[in-house]
């Protein structure tokens, strides 16, 4: 202890008081520096090249920009088979699904009903649920299943029907058969000469699409209906136009209007746009007066229209 005192403590008092105070302050500073250095070692070192926050901020900005772009895109009624590339681009759908749809169409693919859109690569149930109500695929009046019927089957059906017609006529004697087209079922229709089950089915399906017949000659619009057959049965058919189901122009939506065989997509969109911008149509004649449809279409569709 004496050796330590003689070596370190006594020399300390040989300094002037001011110097001794300086030594104390310096010692304290050195101690604090050592203490800080020890404490810092317990904290993780931060790499000066860590860009995590910068990248997060950049991603946040990019997502914001992307969201602003998405807001400009909307959902609207569309036909996946005919929608143009420009309209498709503005449709609120993931880009990969839109590209895959275009590729599918270019390869000759066709969407026959809304549920078939699920087979487009990238489409999932949640996305499909969001857009299902906006998908409109017009019903084809020339039904594809009927196109595949073999001619021999049609011939056999017609021959069988003709035999039934012959037997029926014999049972009726001189009384002439008259069938009202808007009320007739398949049983009544096959009694007409040349009308077998195939044509009876086509007539009923087309009648349902139209909303009823107002003229006998509309039978000629039925897929592949022969002129000769029409001439043979013209005197045996009648039409009660009061049975027609009217289209309420101010209430029917896009898909309902587009189902009618006499209206195309452009005409339906024109009608809908007019209603949106100008309100309800005052009368059926507005379609013609405002050139919402061409004159030929107007004359054909007129019996089916109502603004009530």
């Amino acid at each position: 202890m004496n050796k330590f005192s003689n070596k370190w403590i006594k020399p300390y008092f040989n300094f002037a008081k001011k110097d001794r105070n300086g030594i104390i302050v310096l010692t304290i500073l050195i101690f604090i520096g050592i203490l800080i250095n020890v404490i810092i070692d317990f904290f993780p070192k931060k790499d000066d090249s860590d860009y995590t926050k910068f990248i997060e901020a950049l991603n946040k900005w990019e997502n914001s920009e992307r969201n602003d772009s998405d807001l400009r895109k909307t959902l609207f009624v569309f036909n996946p088979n005919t929608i143009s590339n420009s309209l498709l681009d503005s449709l609120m759908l993931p880009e990969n699904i839109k590209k895959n749809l275009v590729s599918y169409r270019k390869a000759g693919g066709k969407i026959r009903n809304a549920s078939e859109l699920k087979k487009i690569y990238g489409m999932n149930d949640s996305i499909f649920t969001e857009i299902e109500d906006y998908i409109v695929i017009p019903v084809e009046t020339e039904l594809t299943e009927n196109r595949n019927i073999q001619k021999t089957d049609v011939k056999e059906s017609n021959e069988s029907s003709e035999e039934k017609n012959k037997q029926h006529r014999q049972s009726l004697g001189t009384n002439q058969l008259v069938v009202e087209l808007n009320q007739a079922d398949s049983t009544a229709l096959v009694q007409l000469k040349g009308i077998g089950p195939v044509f009876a089915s086509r007539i009923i399906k087309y009648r349902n699409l139209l909303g009823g017949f107002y003229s006998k000659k509309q039978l000629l619009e039925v897929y592949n209906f022969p002129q000769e057959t029409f001439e043979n049965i013209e005197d045996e058919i009648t039409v009660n136009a009061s049975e027609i189901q009217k289209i309420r122009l101010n209430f029917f939506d896009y898909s309902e209007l587009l189902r009618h065989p006499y209206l195309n997509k452009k005409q339906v969109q024109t009608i809908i746009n007019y209603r949106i911008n100008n309100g309800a149509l005052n009368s059926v004649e507005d379609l013609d007066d405002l050139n919402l449809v061409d004159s030929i279409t107007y004359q054909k569709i007129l019996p089916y229209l109502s603004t009530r």
Side-chain angles (χ1 to χ4, degrees), residues 95-307:
E95 293 300 322
N96 65 316
I97 294 179
K98 291 190 281 190
K99 290 179 181 178
N100 292 335
L101 175 59
V102 172
S103 299
Y104 178 75
R105 294 193 320 195
K106 286 182 179 179
K110 185 175 183 181
I111 307 297
R112 292 177 176 80
N113 54 65
S115 62
E116 285 194 3
L117 200 60
K118 291 182 180 179
K119 64 187 178 184
I120 298 299
Y121 186 75
M123 181 68 69
N124 57 43
D125 290 339
S126 60
I127 296 175
F128 180 78
T129 300
E130 292 295 325
I131 68 171
E132 183 177 8
D133 293 338
Y134 296 89
I135 303 170
V136 174
I137 302 175
V139 178
E140 295 184 359
T141 57
E142 298 183 357
L143 301 173
T144 54
E145 61 268 24
N146 287 333
R147 295 174 187 170
N148 297 325
I149 296 174
Q150 298 295 327
K151 291 183 179 180
T152 54
D153 292 338
V154 175
K155 183 178 179 181
E156 289 175 1
S157 297
N158 288 342
E159 287 176 352
S160 175
S161 177
E162 287 178 9
E163 181 63 29
K164 290 180 181 178
N165 290 340
K166 182 178 179 181
Q167 294 174 0
H168 180 74
R169 291 174 192 276
Q170 289 175 350
S171 66
L172 291 176
T174 57
N175 293 332
Q176 186 178 14
L177 176 66
V178 177
V179 174
E180 200 285 305
L181 291 178
N182 285 329
Q183 290 292 328
D185 57 15
S186 296
T187 303
L189 290 171
V190 296
Q191 296 181 47
L192 296 167
K193 184 179 179 180
I195 305 297
V198 173
F199 276 128
S201 175
R202 292 181 185 179
I203 290 169
I204 291 173
K205 287 179 180 179
Y206 189 60
R207 181 182 69 192
N208 291 339
L209 284 174
L210 285 171
F213 296 107
Y214 62 78
S215 169
K216 297 179 184 180
K217 290 187 176 181
Q218 286 178 288
L219 277 183
L220 294 172
E221 298 171 10
V222 174
Y223 176 61
N224 218 21
F225 197 90
Q227 176 75 34
E228 182 181 358
T229 300
F230 174 75
E231 293 173 355
N232 289 337
I233 67 172
E234 187 173 8
D235 295 333
E236 299 177 355
I237 57 176
T238 184
V239 170
N240 181 4
S242 65
E243 298 291 336
I244 287 178
Q245 298 176 10
K246 297 283 187 176
I247 298 173
R248 302 180 70 188
L249 281 174
N250 291 323
F251 296 93
F252 272 40
D253 62 20
Y254 184 96
S255 59
E256 291 172 319
L257 287 173
L258 196 57
R259 286 188 71 252
H260 200 282
Y262 291 165
L263 293 173
N264 60 38
K265 178 180 178 181
K266 181 179 179 182
Q267 292 166 337
V268 171
Q269 192 63 64
T270 300
I271 294 170
I272 296 296
N273 288 343
Y274 179 86
R275 280 185 1 200
I276 292 173
N277 296 323
N278 303 281
L281 293 160
N282 295 320
S283 67
V284 173
E285 288 74 18
D286 284 348
L287 286 183
D288 188 37
D289 296 340
L290 300 171
N291 295 318
L292 300 181
V293 297
D294 60 86
S295 58
I296 295 176
T297 300
Y298 175 72
Q299 292 301 325
K300 290 175 66 177
I301 196 74
L302 183 59
Y304 298 100
L305 303 179
S306 169
T307 53

